[in-house]
Amino acid sequence: MKLRVRAQLTYRFDPPTDAIYKMQVAHWPGQHILEETLTFDPSVAFNEDEHAESGSRTLRCHVEGEVTLSYEAVVENGQLQDLSLNVAQHDWNELPADVLPYLSPSRYCPSDQFGRFATRQFGDTSGGARVSAILDWIAANIDYERGVSDTETTAARTFIDRAGVCRDFTHLGITLCRASGIPARAVSAYALQLEPPDFHAVFEVWLNHSWWLVDPTRLAPVAGLVRIASGRDAADIAFLTTQERCEVIRQVVTVTPA
């Protein structure tokens, strides 16, 4: 599918601060960038880095005052497939070394606290069927509601509150998958048909020798996702991270067929 993604972020940085942006489309197998532009207004000097494994791209810069970053790309994202129920789960000794970190608890995903629940709730399933059962449980038990969570909310808190937004759904899905012995990691994405349009948090699981994307909110089709960044949880995929406080002035994200 060929998609055009656009993002325009206008923030006020007072006091001046160092900033890290992750909003460019990732370099990832099967995802091809056909056109791309990026501009700062006013002009800002920046360094660009790329993560060797995930293809995530990072902009590092020093910003002050009101700054607008505009990004646009035309992307061919291939033919992303929905996760099949019969996709097999691996024994841990069969996993690639670079997948192993996504079995462990992380800042927002305390999977070591959910082993007993995962076994009781999903213990008669494995692989794709288990991930599907986890997604069904989240859909039945967690309400999509803004204002319930904040940047410090963990999966354990969401499990108690039974409400949250896409990052909270993603953290809980990752947590329950890791508690089930399935490697899982967070993915930030541009998402076709997401309402209202915004950056979207989903996750992916390692099954049958590859990563499979899933959307625990079920708000956007997997086929319309364009990968930006991936990591252990939201701390690794945030579209903007700053040392000092900042104020959002305007943020616009759109995804349309190209």
Side-chain angles (χ1 to χ4, degrees):
M1 184 183 299
K2 188 182 294 186
L3 299 168
R4 183 180 299 275
V5 303
R6 297 184 178 95
Q8 187 175 76
L9 308 182
T10 302
Y11 279 69
R12 179 173 290 113
F13 302 96
D14 184 20
T17 184
D18 288 330
I20 297 173
Y21 289 91
K22 290 184 180 180
M23 55 185 289
Q24 295 165 281
V25 173
H27 291 143
W28 183 257
Q31 179 169 281
H32 304 291
I33 301 170
L34 307 179
E35 303 173 19
E36 186 176 43
T37 60
L38 184 146
T39 58
F40 276 99
D41 183 22
S43 180
V44 173
F46 60 86
N47 293 316
E48 182 174 349
D49 308 294
E50 182 173 329
H51 190 271
E53 179 216 336
S54 68
S56 305
R57 300 155 70 193
T58 299
L59 297 177
R60 294 179 288 124
C61 54
H62 186 79
V63 284
E64 58 181 298
E66 187 170 307
V67 177
T68 297
L69 175 55
S70 301
Y71 177 72
E72 181 172 345
V74 176
V75 183
E76 173 58 66
N77 73 340
Q79 297 180 337
L80 296 174
Q81 301 295 315
D82 289 331
L83 178 64
S84 171
L85 295 179
N86 59 9
V87 175
Q89 183 171 339
H90 294 279
D91 292 335
W92 288 3
N93 63 347
E94 299 172 338
L95 294 172
D98 58 5
V99 172
L100 295 178
Y102 304 111
L103 285 169
S104 301
S106 57
R107 176 179 175 183
Y108 295 107
C109 302
S111 51
D112 53 333
Q113 300 174 19
F114 284 83
R116 188 180 300 276
F117 173 79
T119 298
R120 287 185 174 183
Q121 187 70 37
F122 313 113
D124 59 346
T125 59
S126 66
R130 187 150 186 160
V131 175
S132 180
I134 289 170
L135 297 176
D136 288 344
W137 186 91
I138 291 174
N141 291 278
I142 309 298
D143 297 326
Y144 193 93
E145 185 175 338
R146 297 180 181 276
V148 175
S149 60
D150 57 29
T151 57
E152 298 301 317
T153 301
T154 67
R157 184 74 246 176
T158 300
F159 184 81
I160 294 170
D161 291 341
R162 298 298 168 102
V165 292
C166 60
R167 60 173 272 155
D168 306 305
F169 278 58
T170 285
H171 286 153
L172 186 53
I174 290 170
T175 297
L176 295 175
C177 285
R178 291 178 185 171
S180 302
I182 299 172
R185 66 183 182 184
V187 177
S188 59
Y190 293 100
L192 184 67
Q193 299 178 15
L194 181 67
E195 293 294 339
D198 202 346
F199 295 110
H200 197 34
V202 295
F203 72 98
E204 60 188 351
V205 292
W206 181 268
L207 296 170
N208 195 30
H209 306 287
S210 63
W211 289 108
W212 296 78
L213 282 167
V214 296
D215 180 2
T217 69
R218 297 179 171 172
L219 294 176
V222 167
L225 296 176
V226 176
R227 175 188 301 265
I228 301 172
S230 60
R232 295 163 298 175
D233 53 34
D236 291 339
I237 65 171
F239 65 85
L240 176 61
T241 304
T242 61
Q243 280 194 314
E244 303 290 345
R245 67 182 183 274
C246 61
E247 177 188 358
V248 59
I249 304 301
R250 183 175 59 259
Q251 181 169 303
V252 180
V253 178
T254 62
V255 182
T256 56

